[in-house]
Amino acid sequence: MDIFLQQILNGLVVGSIYALIALGYTMVYGILGLINFAHGEVVMIGAMVSITVINVLLQMNLGLPGVVTITLATCAAMAACMLLSFSIEKIAYRPLRKAPRLAPLITAIGISIILQQVAMVIWGKRYVVFPSVIKVETIDIMGATITNLQIVIVVLAIVFMGVLVGIVEKTKLGRAMRATSQNPEVATLMGVNVNHIISMTFVLGAALGAIAGVMVAANYDQAHANMGFMIGLKAFTAAVLGGIGNLAGAVVGGILLGIVESLGAGYIGPLTGDVLGSNYQDIFAFLMLIAVLVFRPSGLLGERVAERA
């Protein structure tokens, strides 16, 4: 029972991060029908920028509390990722909007590789350590352990996901996003600036991606230039699992994927001789994706997207 609860807690932490990143994928796909494979690298840039800002602030000896330091670093990471994603959409994706779907897909992969190489040039190929600016304490819950940092990660992820849903459902920008998703031509006739709405969709997704990048770096105490590929692929898997194009589906898919991955690593991994299950952690995520695509291609909540379309 201790192992089960521990893996559930681990899955909630990782799944919350997957869900945040998956929202970026699902928003862009819902409006453009584009899989933005560069989104994982945007998350990586957010993690790297936050570490750099934290190190700069520590070197300045300002005596700032750890929470303030991380908050400032997160804001800087969000600004950098939002500007980066806005530029990617305008320079790389917008000219190909009416091109065959294969063209923007290949462009997205190319942008992903470029960002990886740029990150290696700036931060190097080695792991970059996340500075210890807050005291991490372990909390015991019925034999399982979770840190105060992980609790904050889960809570903040839920808050930011709620904020995004509120923006999409309750604001003028959200109404314009939904209109553009349903029919861009009619939305244009109704006075919606489609180009602006698409850019704002990329920007919002990048903001959440930056926050997720900081969470990943803080949770694992490190980041590196290649981290965006796998975490981006898993977040995309979560979006497909829940029903890509559906915000609620991205959240459900991310959390479910994190829990399944953690349970598989905790139970099946040790049976094969891998005590931590880390060598088999990725297998369960993609086995689950294959099963969903075979038996329910639209995803767990995909019917809502079909009705909206």
Side-chain angles (χ1 to χ4, degrees):
M1 186 62 186
D2 292 350
I3 296 177
F4 177 78
L5 182 57
Q6 183 65 65
Q7 297 307 321
I8 291 294
L9 293 176
N10 294 341
L12 285 175
V13 175
V14 177
S16 299
I17 297 174
Y18 289 162
L20 271 182
I21 304 173
L23 286 171
Y25 281 103
T26 205
M27 284 194 303
V28 171
Y29 183 84
I31 289 182
L32 283 179
L34 167 70
I35 305 298
N36 180 21
F37 279 117
H39 189 57
E41 273 56 50
V42 173
V43 174
M44 176 269 295
I45 294 294
M48 292 297 197
V49 170
S50 68
I51 293 175
T52 301
V53 172
I54 290 174
N55 286 327
V56 170
L57 292 175
L58 291 177
Q59 291 174 2
M60 295 173 67
N61 294 320
L62 299 176
L64 298 174
V67 175
V68 176
T69 301
I70 292 182
T71 301
L72 292 175
T74 303
C75 291
M78 290 174 64
C81 290
M82 290 164 71
L83 178 61
L84 174 63
S85 195
F86 175 83
S87 302
I88 290 173
E89 188 278 325
K90 188 171 183 179
I91 296 172
Y93 295 152
R94 188 176 298 182
L96 300 175
R97 196 170 294 168
K98 295 183 179 180
R101 288 197 173 188
L102 187 60
L105 179 63
I106 295 174
T107 300
I109 297 174
I111 293 294
S112 173
I113 296 173
I114 290 173
L115 291 178
Q116 285 184 25
Q117 299 302 313
V118 170
M120 289 182 185
V121 171
I122 297 175
W123 289 285
K125 298 181 180 180
R126 296 184 178 183
Y127 285 84
V128 180
V129 178
F130 190 87
S132 300
V133 293
I134 60 174
K135 184 178 180 181
V136 178
E137 299 177 350
T138 301
I139 301 172
D140 184 84
I141 302 177
M142 299 174 61
T145 59
I146 188 171
T147 65
N148 56 341
L149 176 61
Q150 291 174 327
I151 292 176
V152 170
I153 287 175
V154 174
V155 172
L156 288 180
I158 294 173
V159 169
F160 284 117
M161 286 186 283
V163 169
L164 177 65
V165 172
I167 291 174
V168 173
E169 297 293 337
K170 302 296 183 181
T171 66
K172 183 178 179 180
L173 173 62
R175 289 193 296 271
M177 290 172 65
R178 297 199 304 274
T180 303
S181 175
Q182 292 177 359
N183 195 316
E185 289 77 14
V186 174
T188 301
L189 294 176
M190 298 299 292
V192 175
N193 187 337
V194 172
N195 287 333
H196 174 72
I197 296 303
I198 292 175
S199 294
M200 289 304 300
T201 301
F202 274 84
V203 167
L204 284 174
L208 294 180
I211 295 170
V214 177
M215 290 178 175
V216 172
N219 188 42
Y220 295 105
D221 295 324
Q222 62 186 13
H224 59 94
N226 293 322
M227 64 178 279
F229 172 76
M230 183 55 69
I231 196 169
L233 196 56
K234 288 185 179 180
F236 170 67
T237 300
V240 174
L241 177 62
I244 192 163
N246 188 305
L247 296 182
V251 175
V252 172
I255 294 176
L256 184 59
L257 181 65
I259 291 175
V260 169
E261 184 179 283
S262 296
L263 288 174
Y267 283 100
I268 301 178
L271 295 178
T272 61
D274 182 11
V275 178
L276 298 177
S278 57
N279 292 332
Y280 300 92
Q281 186 173 348
D282 300 334
I283 294 177
F284 308 110
F286 298 113
L287 284 177
M288 188 175 184
L289 173 64
I290 293 172
V292 170
L293 291 177
V294 170
F295 297 105
R296 191 175 176 82
S298 61
L300 298 178
L301 302 181
E303 289 183 357
R304 292 181 60 187
V305 178
E307 289 173 1
R308 190 172 65 223

